[in-house]
Amino acid sequence: MWVTIWTWNILAFSVAHLVAGCVAYFRFRKDVWWAWSLPLIFVAISGLICVTAGLLTSVLVAAVYSQHGFSMTTTEAFGWGVGLFILYAVTSFSEKYHQFL
């Protein structure tokens, strides 16, 4: 169960960071010689986030489902995986979230 949530989380993070990396590449391709590496760096950062925060939250969601005896469909796992990505994205831009750090 947690693997399915984590897989959707990895896919959502990777696609978003790959798009952002490509945008950064097209913006900086004439300014810096290493612009070709920006999409790779962005995807590596998304992998690091998924290995830490994504894995932990996926395991916690699956543990709650398992503890209460619920089963999870693929659609629910998709919702949790992409939903967790959206939650990370929203909280990373929220000023109210950062005032507590």
Side-chain angles (χ1 to χ4, degrees):
M1 186 181 315
W2 66 269
V3 175
T4 310
I5 298 170
W6 193 40
T7 302
W8 284 112
N9 199 345
I10 289 171
L11 287 172
F13 263 99
S14 298
V15 167
H17 281 82
L18 186 61
V19 168
C22 289
V23 168
Y25 166 75
F26 286 116
R27 166 58 186 91
F28 292 111
R29 70 177 177 229
K30 296 178 183 174
D31 297 333
V32 293
W33 63 269
W34 47 269
W36 60 269
S37 65
L38 288 173
L40 300 174
I41 293 169
F42 279 42
V43 170
I45 289 170
S46 75
L48 181 65
I49 294 169
C50 282
V51 166
T52 55
L55 181 62
L56 180 65
T57 53
S58 298
V59 168
L60 289 173
V61 168
V64 169
Y65 265 74
S66 297
Q67 186 67 28
H68 291 288
F70 297 136
S71 62
M72 182 179 291
T73 65
T74 307
T75 307
E76 287 176 302
F78 169 78
W80 276 107
V82 174
L84 289 171
F85 162 71
I86 292 170
L87 179 68
Y88 302 145
V90 168
T91 57
S92 68
F93 290 108
S94 173
E95 290 182 28
K96 293 188 184 287
Y97 174 75
H98 289 292
Q99 78 184 20
F100 295 112
L101 296 180

